[in-house]
Amino acid sequence: MITIKNERELNYMRDAGRVVAETFEVLKDMVKPGVTTKELDQEAEDFIVRKGAKPAFKGYGGFPGTLCTSVNEEVVHGIPGLRKLENGDIISIDCGAVINGFVGDSALTLPVGTISQEAQQLLRVTEESLYAGIAQAVEGNRLSDVSNAVQKCVEKQGMSVVRDYVGHGIGAKMHEDPQIPNFGPPGRGPRLKKGMTLAIEPMVNLGTFEVRTLEDDWTVVTLDGRLSAHFEHTIAITDDTPEILTKL
């Protein structure tokens, strides 16, 4: 069942989304060669708590971190640890916060030092595909209009969208109905209505869309070892343009 949020609930989600966006502003300044993913995770946790929020990911399904930190060929769910970032890496950071029982969830991929032109294009295309999907998240459209817009944006650049992991509804729970694939034909699925809140999150690979999970049972990597990027926003369907709840 897809839940419709009232104004009070949307305000809670705006508050949670603002904390996530502010956390990313802190992390952007920290991402540089020599920094460990654990240091990023600890700073994020401390910041979220100082803001009066709760990390949404820590302990969720047993996940040990506040952030998912996925480097290079890692797609999603990378566990923060002692790995030091190196010049030329890219790191996808997924972050969530809870305020008054409601969740904000967002992700972005950042360059570490100087990255290749190919990596730069991957980041650009993935972020563009997110906003292409968001632009279709308007009242009256079908859910798959969002999915199709993401896929078209990515594939026209010769890249691929991950099929095994998708976006989702969000609110009082991290994962609510509906699931939001980043691929598929337009004009299908439920109609979008004012008050729906969605986490739209393209995961884009330079090579094949196929992925596998490492032995830690969390970290998902590309099957061919090529780079992957991840961008996400929590949005609300309104009378007019979609409202991005995880952007300052």
Side-chain angles (χ1 to χ4, degrees):
M1 182 178 70
I2 302 174
T3 61
I4 302 295
K5 309 319 188 285
N6 60 37
E7 193 62 22
R8 175 180 60 85
E9 293 168 332
L10 285 173
N11 281 332
Y12 291 155
M13 294 187 69
R14 291 180 181 107
D15 291 341
R18 185 178 305 110
V19 170
V20 173
E22 290 172 348
T23 303
F24 278 127
E25 291 304 304
V26 173
L27 296 176
K28 286 176 185 177
D29 291 335
M30 288 186 66
V31 169
K32 58 188 66 175
V35 172
T36 68
T37 55
K38 182 63 177 177
E39 289 172 325
L40 297 174
D41 188 73
Q42 188 61 60
E43 181 61 33
E45 181 174 352
D46 292 346
F47 183 83
I48 290 169
V49 171
R50 286 200 305 271
K51 288 291 183 175
K54 176 184 175 183
F57 296 172
K58 193 163 189 178
Y60 185 80
F63 188 75
T66 291
L67 303 174
C68 296
T69 52
S70 306
V71 181
N72 294 335
E73 78 281 1
E74 297 173 352
V75 181
V76 285
H77 304 159
I79 299 173
L82 300 179
R83 178 175 186 168
K84 290 185 178 181
L85 299 179
E86 298 181 3
N87 186 62
D89 285 344
I90 61 173
I91 179 170
S92 298
I93 303 175
D94 198 350
C95 179
V98 183
I99 289 184
N100 291 315
F102 283 81
V103 186
D105 182 13
S106 183
L108 50 70
T109 304
L110 297 171
V112 182
T114 303
I115 63 173
S116 68
Q117 288 188 343
E118 186 177 52
Q120 290 177 37
Q121 185 182 22
L122 173 64
L123 269 59
R124 178 183 60 79
V125 170
T126 307
E127 187 171 19
E128 286 178 356
S129 75
L130 169 61
Y131 284 99
I134 290 173
Q136 293 299 314
V138 295
E139 188 167 37
N141 273 4
R142 297 281 188 181
L143 185 68
S144 73
D145 295 334
V146 175
S147 307
N148 182 257
V150 171
Q151 182 179 17
K152 285 169 60 178
C153 182
V154 170
E155 292 185 350
K156 73 179 182 182
Q157 298 296 330
M159 301 176 191
S160 62
V161 290
V162 172
R163 264 87 167 149
D164 290 14
Y165 297 87
V166 299
H168 50 92
I170 187 170
K173 297 179 180 179
M174 172 74 71
H175 294 99
E176 298 183 349
D177 290 335
Q179 291 193 339
I180 311 168
N182 294 304
F183 61 96
R188 298 185 181 179
R191 291 224 180 255
L192 301 179
K193 298 180 181 179
K194 180 182 177 181
M196 288 181 177
T197 47
L198 309 174
I200 301 171
E201 51 176 325
M203 289 146 274
V204 177
N205 298 344
L206 274 178
T208 178
F209 65 82
E210 295 178 296
V211 299
R212 64 184 179 91
T213 303
L214 299 183
E215 291 181 358
D216 63 16
D217 291 328
W218 281 107
T219 308
V220 177
V221 300
T222 57
L223 193 62
D224 58 9
R226 298 187 71 188
L227 296 178
S228 184
H230 180 199
F231 282 82
E232 175 185 19
H233 274 309
T234 297
I235 66 105
I237 309 297
T238 70
D239 287 324
D240 192 11
T241 57
E243 180 183 356
I244 299 176
L245 304 179
T246 46
K247 187 174 183 179
L248 295 178

